[in-house]
């Protein structure tokens, strides 16, 4: 399911578009208030933003500029303002596409998918360059993790735990977070079981738990992955 955020004060239009996009596995969160939309972006993960320009309290061009300072999310401007200067300013402020209202929902869906493909390819290209510098490399499409250039032999649970740690990019991950976010782990799993699985992963990385290079225990919380 693709998670999309729409900052649009025309609630009737937003709901029509959201209902249309839902049939293509696109889940739309609607924010009528631009400040609420910015808050959503700061606290949730979305794959694409559709942003109107005529908004209450703050112009959409300023919203676009503020969002781009902190987020790399693809942005489609959806606006009834047809002034060329607005389009140019929106693109200069970080928007990726501009679709003038009124438009057919089919066109919006096509632009969404096209932009996501381009963004995904750009992300993979950047990620691939970064991965060459790291000992652990994650390939989500193949569901595999390589260690020093060699694919690790992992169980499904081990793969999902290690993949989660890699994607957290050095952030601290609690045992509870792993339990509730790893599909291969039952919610009744104990913290001790998580420690056992981490131990097995460490063995496959040939590291000493007393002096680890990669998976570091954070006392009373969980684990943190160093992947240089």
């Amino acid at each position: 399911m693709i998670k999309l955020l729409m900052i649009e004060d025309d609630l009737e239009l937003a709901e029509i578009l959201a209902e249309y996009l839902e049939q293509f596995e696109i889940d739309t969160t609607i924010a009528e208030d631009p400040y609420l939309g910015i808050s959503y972006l700061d606290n949730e993960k979305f794959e694409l933003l559709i942003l109107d320009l005529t908004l209450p309290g703050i112009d959409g061009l300023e919203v676009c500029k503020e969002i781009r300072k902190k987020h790399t999310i693809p942005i489609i401007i959806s606006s009834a303002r047809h002034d060329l200067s607005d389009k140019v300013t929106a693109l200069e402020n970080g928007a990726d596409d501009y679709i003038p209202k009124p438009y057919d929902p089919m066109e919006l869906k096509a632009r969404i998918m096209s932009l996501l493909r381009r963004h995904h390819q750009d992300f993979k290209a950047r990620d691939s360059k970064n991965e060459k510098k790291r000992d652990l490399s994650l390939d989500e499409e193949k569901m595999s993790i390589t260690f020093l250039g060699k694919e690790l032999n992992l169980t499904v649970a081990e793969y999902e735990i290690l993949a989660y740690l890699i994607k957290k990019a050095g952030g601290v991950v609690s045992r509870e977070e792993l339990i509730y976010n790893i599909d291969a782990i039952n919610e009744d799993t104990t913290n001790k079981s998580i420690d056992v699985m981490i131990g097995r992963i460490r063995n496959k990385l040939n590291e000493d738990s007393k002096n680890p290079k990669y998976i570091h225990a954070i006392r009373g919380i969980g684990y943190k992955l160093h992947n240089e």
Side-chain angles (χ1 to χ4, degrees):
M1 180 73 77
I2 295 168
K3 289 195 65 178
L4 180 149
L5 175 63
M6 184 182 299
I7 301 178
E8 168 65 68
D9 67 339
D10 185 340
L11 184 58
E12 182 179 0
L13 171 63
E15 289 178 342
I16 290 172
L17 293 172
E19 184 177 354
Y20 175 79
L21 294 172
E22 187 177 12
Q23 64 185 306
F24 302 103
E25 298 296 309
I26 300 174
D27 179 41
T28 304
T29 297
I30 301 169
E32 293 181 81
D33 182 280
Y35 295 103
L36 179 61
I38 293 171
S39 175
Y40 282 157
L41 277 178
D42 289 338
N43 293 286
E44 297 182 44
K45 181 176 176 60
F46 295 94
E47 293 170 73
L48 188 137
L49 167 66
I50 297 176
L51 173 64
D52 186 26
L53 291 188
T54 307
L55 296 166
I58 182 173
D59 189 81
L61 293 173
E62 285 301 313
V63 175
C64 182
K65 187 176 181 180
E66 288 303 309
I67 288 172
R68 189 50 82 220
K69 288 179 182 179
K70 297 190 291 182
H71 304 283
T72 60
I73 185 171
I75 300 174
I76 296 177
I77 298 294
S78 162
S79 178
R81 285 158 46 175
H82 295 167
D83 192 321
L84 179 60
S85 64
D86 281 337
K87 181 176 182 178
V88 171
T89 303
L91 296 173
E92 288 177 342
N93 285 357
D96 298 277
D97 199 358
Y98 191 106
I99 180 170
K101 296 176 181 177
Y103 51 81
D104 192 299
M106 290 179 63
E107 181 182 0
L108 178 63
K109 181 257 180 180
R111 287 177 183 250
I112 289 171
M113 301 312 295
S114 175
L115 184 53
L116 285 176
R117 284 194 299 270
R118 296 202 310 269
H119 185 74
H120 182 64
Q121 289 169 357
D122 290 344
F123 179 81
K124 283 188 68 178
R126 293 195 302 269
D127 197 48
S128 178
K129 290 179 182 179
N130 291 334
E131 291 291 351
K132 292 176 183 177
K133 303 175 184 178
R134 301 177 187 275
D135 291 350
L136 286 159
S137 176
L138 170 65
D139 188 328
E140 291 189 84
E141 290 185 3
K142 295 181 180 179
M143 287 190 65
S144 68
I145 297 173
T146 57
F147 174 56
L148 299 176
K150 184 177 179 180
E151 184 174 345
L152 290 170
N153 182 18
L154 301 167
T155 66
V156 174
E158 290 168 358
Y159 163 78
E160 292 188 2
I161 289 173
L162 187 53
Y164 194 87
L165 290 171
I166 290 173
K167 287 188 286 186
K168 281 294 183 176
V172 177
V173 177
S174 70
R175 295 173 178 84
E176 291 77 12
E177 185 177 348
L178 290 171
I179 291 171
Y180 289 110
N181 286 279
I182 302 300
D183 292 337
I185 297 176
N186 189 290
E187 290 189 2
D188 295 329
T189 298
T190 64
N191 288 347
K192 181 63 177 177
S193 297
I194 294 294
D195 293 338
V196 170
M197 285 185 272
I198 289 290
R200 293 204 298 261
I201 295 170
R202 278 176 165 159
N203 286 337
K204 294 177 181 181
L205 299 179
N206 301 315
E207 70 171 350
D208 182 359
S209 62
K210 295 181 180 179
N211 187 29
K213 178 181 179 182
Y214 301 103
I215 301 177
H216 295 252
I218 307 300
R219 187 178 181 87
I221 302 176
Y223 296 94
K224 178 178 181 180
L225 178 72
H226 289 183
N227 185 22
E228 300 300 329

